[in-house]
Structures are given as structure tokens and as C-alpha cells.
Amino acid sequence: GLMIDSVLLLEGAMSIEKLQRYREQMRTELDKVVDFWQKYSHDTQYGGFFTCIGKDGKIYDQLKYVWLQGRQVWMYCRLYRTMERFNKPEILEAAKSGGAFLRRFARIPNSGSPWKCAFCLTRDGKALKVQRTIFSECFYVMAMDELARVTGDKDMQVEAAQMMDQLVHWVRVDPSGLGKPQLSGDTPVCSMAVPMMLLCLVQQLTEARSGEEVDKYREVGGWCVKQILQHLQMTVLPLYCLPVVSFLSGFLISFIYTFAIGHALEAGWFLLQYGLENGDQELQRTAVDKFMEIPFLTGWDKEHGGLLYFLDVDGYCPTQLEWSMKLWWPHCEALIAYLMAYSHTKEPALLERFSQVYDYTFSHFSDAENGEWFGYLTQQGKVTLDFKGGPFKGFFHVPRCLYMCEKILDSILNKQET
């Protein structure tokens, strides 16, 4: 008995030490990442942020992508609001500058809908490209709501809520305002990214609020969860089917039955969080077993390590050229997913998965020399695109992952220390 007790105590002490080490490294890494974007991304002349940033911080393209502008505003505000060490005037000023740029230029009134946002703007804010999807608008809502929480700007909060209503209308009632023609051969399948994104906004807009608005969003949240779970019901062999939108290409690809490992893992922690908030244990279990374990076990590259980008549910070769590459963001989502799952279940196997992803991620993506992370590696793990920011990589997945993991590690360690 004593022997077993002492072994358990030793294991406990070792895992506490390991968790403390992870927290220390992630904390340091987050500081470096924030420094990098503060140093290189701010456009002091026109407002907003540069995101096409080379490996050493040089700007190689001045275009401004609305997704990434919104995400950077949101991330700065979230850090400013919830982490004491980032409660600095320069972070708030940068967020306000990004918010003002978005409010001034993101919406394109001549698009047929007053709420439609551009996808890409010139440096001085002229609309250059528009997508027939809802994602620019989603990140606009996230940015405005989080900025309003920090500044107390009621008009901004109202604007975020109004745009959310429009998004829900486009998704659930009538998509014609998006400008996408209804084609007779088009399958009416909702890409999983759409309900995921709306669920993310529901969590954003309801945090620490109550009243009628919140009840309305709860209903939307329930609908989103049902839609996401439908992707499980199209089960094929051991995998499940996600008709997925390829985000790298920047336009909709027809519904090829491939799934993006990163989206499955991200959906996993979205659902786990929702299940925890609503006391739904079955949903919590499904989130871990079906949205984390299956994609992870199928998508982990046993030969070279790391997560593949796409897999085909029938075992064919995916047609996306980047299917076998290792991208930064699925690894970020895996870290959040497994640490969150471990913190609620205390299942050692889940901490093992976190460690496995952690070791690969920090040894392959993080750039010790110039700071920040590379985003795109070959299947063998060599850097193939060496920029730190691009049209789809901004100040979002890396800092959100480090921020959330640090917070989760704080809560695990605080419980164990008390």
C-alpha cells in the first residue's frame, strides 16, 4: 500500500513539474509572439495591421485582410482584458486603431447589403476582394464585441449584435445577400466551418451577460451544435465525413469528402467548452472521443510526426495540394483541445497526447532566432514557406493557443497547489 502511494505521489509531483514547465515555456513564448506583432505589424500611417510579414519582420505586401484585422483586434483586446501583464496602453491603442480601420473600411455598402464586408483591402482601405461567405463578417463581430467590452462603447456593441443577426439570417433563412447564386447541382450541405464560427460568436456575445439577447443566442448555439454533430452522422468506415471548405484557397471548393484535421480538433474544444457550460456530459464525451481522438489518431503522421492537413474519408488521396503538409494552426488547435480535455477529465492519456503535440510543435514551428512561428512545413517537417504572416496567418492561432493553454495550466496548477 505504501509503495503504491509513494509511486502515485511521485507521479503526481512529476506531472505537476511538467505542467509548470509547459506553463513557463508557453508564457515566455506568448510574450515573444506579442512583441513580434507589436514591433512589425502596426501601420501607424493608415491604421490597422500589416499581416504579410517576412521571417525577420520585413513587410513583403501591404494588403490588409479583413479576417486578420478582426482577429488581431480581438486578440489584443482579449489579452488586454484578461491578462494583467498585457493590460498596457500600447496594446489598447493598437486595438483601437485596428477597430477604427475596420469600422471605416471593412463594410462595402455597394455590395447589395449594408452588412457585407470585404475580404481584402488595400493599405489605405479600398476594397479589393469580396468572398461570398460569412467569415469576414464573423471576425468583424468578434473584434467589435471584444473591443466594446474593453472601451465600454455601447454603439460598437450594438453594431456587433446587429451584424450577428444578419449572419444568422444569411445562414438559417436566406443566403442571397451573400451574392452566391443558387445553382441546381449545389448540395445544400452546411460546411462545418459555418456552425463552428457561429458557435464561437455565440460564446463571444454571451460571456458574462444575461437577458433576452442571451436566450436568443442560446437557441442559435443549440442549432450550431446540432449542425456540427450532423457531420458525425455521415460516418464512413472508421472516419467521419466533413464536407470541408478549403480555407487556403480563399474560395469555396466543391464538397469533396475530405476532412481538415485542424477543423475537427477545433470543433472538439468548441463542443467541449459548450458541453461544460451547459452541463451536457454526453456532448463532452462526444467532443473528446469523436472530434479529438478519431481525427488525431487518423491524422498523426506516424513516420515523420505532426498532423497531416487533409484526409479523405474513403482513403483516397486528397486532391488538395497541401494535404500532406504540416501547418501551424491544426497543431495549435490540438494543444488547446487536449489540454482542455485533460483539465476536465484528468485522464493521463490526454496529457500524453498534449505532450506529443507540444514536442513536435515547439521543435518545428517556433523560430528561436527571429521570434514567432513558421506556418507551413513539408510532410518531413522542413520549413517550406518562411514568412511569419501571410494572407491567412495573422496574430490569432498562435497567441490564442498560448493564451488559452496558459490560462488552463493556471487553473490546473492552482487547484493542485491549494
Side-chain angles (χ1 to χ4, degrees), residues 183-200:
L183 303 174
S184 58
D186 203 6
T187 357
V189 179
C190 196
S191 137
M192 193 172 83
V194 170
M196 273 176 68
M197 198 63 241
L198 284 185
L199 184 60
C200 182

Side-chain angles (χ1 to χ4, degrees), residues 165 167-176:
D165 290 344
L167 287 173
V168 172
H169 179 81
W170 280 334
V171 171
R172 291 176 69 177
V173 184
D174 176 16
S176 61

Side-chain angles (χ1 to χ4, degrees), residues 150-162:
V150 167
T151 59
D153 185 329
K154 285 280 174 276
D155 289 344
M156 197 180 276
Q157 194 189 321
V158 168
E159 187 186 349
Q162 287 173 330

